[in-house]
Amino acid sequence: MFDVGFAELFLLSIIGLLVLGPERLPAVARTVGGFVRKARASWYTLKTSVEAELAEADVREPLKTAREELDAVSRQVTDLGREASAGMDPTPRKADKPSPPPGD
């Protein structure tokens, strides 16, 4: 997050020692350490939840696409079934009736 090296930490500790004094510096360092620990934990939790949401979105998108394609195919099959039903005549025609056997 912050690019702080050893030299910067040493300089900050010297300034803190001069400003706060040797009595209060350890307590302030513990407090700052606690804040840093909480900030890291919050950052880790946020990062984990964002990654989980992204993974869920990656899984959800192909399923949505497959569902849309399946719905389109289902509509096509339904339309073809209706066309086939409309093209068929439920009443038999004369040519469809069996002819009587010869010799009767």
Side-chain angles (χ1 to χ4, degrees):
M1 198 156 101
F2 297 111
D3 191 24
V4 179
F6 179 74
E8 288 89 2
L9 286 175
F10 184 72
L11 182 63
L12 288 173
S13 62
I14 295 293
I15 293 172
L17 184 62
L18 292 174
V19 171
L20 298 173
E23 299 86 25
R24 293 189 342 195
L25 186 61
V28 171
R30 273 193 295 273
T31 304
V32 169
F35 287 141
V36 169
R37 189 177 319 113
K38 287 180 184 179
R40 283 185 182 169
S42 297
W43 173 252
Y44 179 75
T45 303
L46 177 66
K47 179 181 170 186
T48 304
S49 65
V50 167
E51 288 175 349
E53 289 292 326
L54 289 175
E56 182 179 333
D58 287 343
V59 170
R60 188 177 290 170
E61 187 62 34
L63 289 176
K64 182 180 177 185
T65 304
R67 180 176 289 145
E68 289 171 355
E69 291 175 1
L70 184 61
D71 289 341
V73 169
S74 176
R75 282 190 298 263
Q76 289 176 353
V77 169
T78 303
D79 292 343
L80 287 174
R82 286 182 188 152
E83 289 176 9
S85 296
M88 298 178 77
D89 189 12
T91 58
R93 299 182 196 151
K94 291 183 182 180
D96 291 342
K97 292 183 183 178
S99 60
D104 279 338

